[in-house]
Structures are given as structure tokens and as C-alpha cells.
Amino acid sequence: MTESLMNAADRWRPLTELLQALLERVAGELPGCLGAGLTVSHGGRPLQVLATAGVAEHLLPAQLRHGGPVTVADATGEPVTADELFGDERWPRLTRDDVPGADAVRGAVALPGFWDEHGAFVLSATLDRPPGSTTLPVLQRYAKLTEMTLVVAETATAGDPDQMLDLLASRAAIEQAKGAIMAVRRCPPEEAWQTLRRASQEFNVKVRELAIALVEYLGGHTATQPAGTPAIHPGAQARHAAERLWSAFAAVSS
């Protein structure tokens, strides 16, 4: 995570209050919820706790030390659920002894997300029962709000106007490409984002350049980019990656 975002949480009270309110709303919509939390990372750096509510204050640091749904979700990019948090063979080192007041804890769920091409977060909740059929959908509804909150915080505290504009331009390009992938694959936003990230890593191109190249490949013309932001110019490798990615989609759907 960038230093500006961490500093913002420490010194910008409105951001802290907004994140706290968001987590409390998540907890309020989940029956049996004992706490909710938000962890973030940036540029491949280790996860750090940004905000907590309830038992997450102690549980999230314990997961970062010993493993748990949050660390697995961050590593795999996939949602993680657990009917019995403690004693799960996926994170054998995490025990009740690590978490004060954990006697009532049973289930847990962790949902990964991203707010830019280098910034990742995990929204999580802990329950006094196994997760139900509505648990993950509730987190998914709040993931978009979490994403936009982090985007606003990052841009507002960047300090460098050029960095702010770069972030906004990247965000716009990625959202366009995600929309195209969601339409053809009939998949949720998280899967569309993961598809872009995996392709960018496979072809060694920036996500934002791949996103613009994909939009231009589909549209057959130069993509419209936000006025006043630095133009993103995809190179030959990004255009090749976009063509290969879309060909793979066509092959699967045919």
C-alpha cells in the first residue's frame, strides 16, 4: 500500500470515520457478524490492516501473522469462506489463543478486490455461525464502495497532481475493459479484473495499457480517454496481448 493511503488513515479523520461506518454497515447486514475488517496492499507489499470493527481488531493481525481467509484471498485473488475458522487445515497456525474474545467465533469470509492496477484490498467478516448463502453477496455489494473509497483517498492524498491524474486515467481505462470482459464472459467484476491482471502478467504489459488496447481492438478506433488526464498509449506488446486475450474468449464461447 502506498504511504499516502496509510498516512491518510492516520491523520485524515473523515476517511477513518467513513471506513469505520462502511465496516459497521457490513456487520449490520450479516446475521451473527462479530466483526468486519479491511486490509490493503500496494505494489506487491505485504497486507496491512487499514480499518476494523468488532473482533477484527484482534483477528486481522493474527491472520497476518499466522494465516487465515484474508491471506489466502489476497494470495489467490479468489473469495474464501470457512465454516469453522479455527482448526481449518488451510491455516493450521491460527488458533483461538491468538485472538482475545474469540470464543464465539465460528465462520469467516474474505473477499479480495482492487482499486488500481497495483493496489489490492481484502474485505472480510467474522461470524458466530457458518457463512450463509447471502454472506458473500453482502460483501460483494460493499466491495465497489470500498474500491471507490480507496480510489478517492489515494487521489486526494497523493500530493502530486500528475500522480492523481495518472491514477484517474488508469481507473477509467480499466473500468472500460472490465465492462467488455463482463459482457462477453457474463462474469462478475472481480473475475473480469482477475482476467486482466493475469493477462498483463503473462504478457508482461501494464494493466492500463492492456485495458486501452483491448477497448481499441474491440472498437476498431482510438479509445476515448478522460479529458485533462495523461493519454495512455499501448505499445505493440499490449496490442498483441489484447488480440490474444480476445481470441481466447472467442474460442471458449464458440
Side-chain angles (χ1 to χ4, degrees):
M1 143 199 42
T2 60
E3 288 301 320
S4 60
L5 184 56
M6 280 307 292
N7 291 340
D10 290 337
R11 59 183 169 76
W12 190 21
R13 188 171 182 81
L15 174 60
T16 303
E17 292 176 347
L18 178 59
L19 292 173
Q20 190 71 32
L22 185 151
L23 294 177
E24 289 174 356
R25 288 185 63 179
V26 170
E29 288 196 29
L30 292 174
C33 188
L34 301 173
L38 177 64
T39 50
V40 294
S41 64
H42 198 274
R45 296 175 185 147
L47 280 174
Q48 293 190 44
V49 178
L50 188 60
T52 63
V55 72
E57 177 183 359
H58 301 292
L59 182 56
L60 285 184
Q63 289 194 50
L64 297 189
R65 291 193 303 270
H66 304 302
V70 167
T71 57
V72 174
D74 178 62
T76 63
E78 301 291 340
V80 176
T81 61
D83 289 346
E84 296 290 344
L85 177 62
F86 299 109
D88 194 301
E89 62 183 12
R90 289 173 291 181
W91 41 82
R93 295 174 56 220
L94 183 66
T95 69
R96 293 185 188 277
D97 295 337
D98 300 311
V99 185
D103 291 345
V105 171
R106 285 195 62 191
V109 60
L111 178 69
F114 303 88
W115 80 87
D116 69 15
E117 60 184 291
H118 301 297
F121 68 86
V122 178
L123 185 61
S124 59
T126 308
L127 313 167
D128 66 2
R129 64 197 70 184
S133 61
T134 62
T135 305
L136 188 56
V138 168
L139 287 190
Q140 289 171 332
R141 284 198 290 106
Y142 280 97
K144 187 65 176 179
L145 180 57
T146 301
E147 173 187 322
M148 295 314 299
T149 300
L150 294 175
V151 168
V152 170
E154 185 79 352
T155 55
T157 60
D160 181 352
D162 290 336
Q163 181 182 346
M164 190 184 326
L165 292 174
D166 283 342
L167 181 59
L168 293 174
S170 296
R171 185 77 249 167
I174 291 169
E175 288 300 318
Q176 289 184 68
K178 280 171 57 180
I181 294 172
M182 289 164 62
V184 71
R185 299 197 67 180
R186 303 182 187 276
C187 67
E190 296 84 7
E191 184 177 333
W193 170 248
Q194 284 293 338
T195 299
L196 275 175
R197 288 189 76 233
R198 284 194 295 265
S200 75
Q201 293 167 354
E202 179 180 349
F203 291 97
N204 194 29
V205 297
K206 292 183 177 179
V207 175
R208 58 183 176 180
E209 291 189 14
L210 173 59
I212 286 292
L214 183 60
V215 171
E216 293 185 345
Y217 178 74
L218 296 177
H221 55 76
T222 301
T224 301
Q225 301 187 38
T229 61
I232 299 171
H233 300 289
Q237 183 69 7
R239 296 190 184 280
H240 173 69
E243 184 174 355
R244 290 283 302 277
L245 180 61
W246 201 256
S247 295
F249 291 161
V252 171
S253 61
S254 61

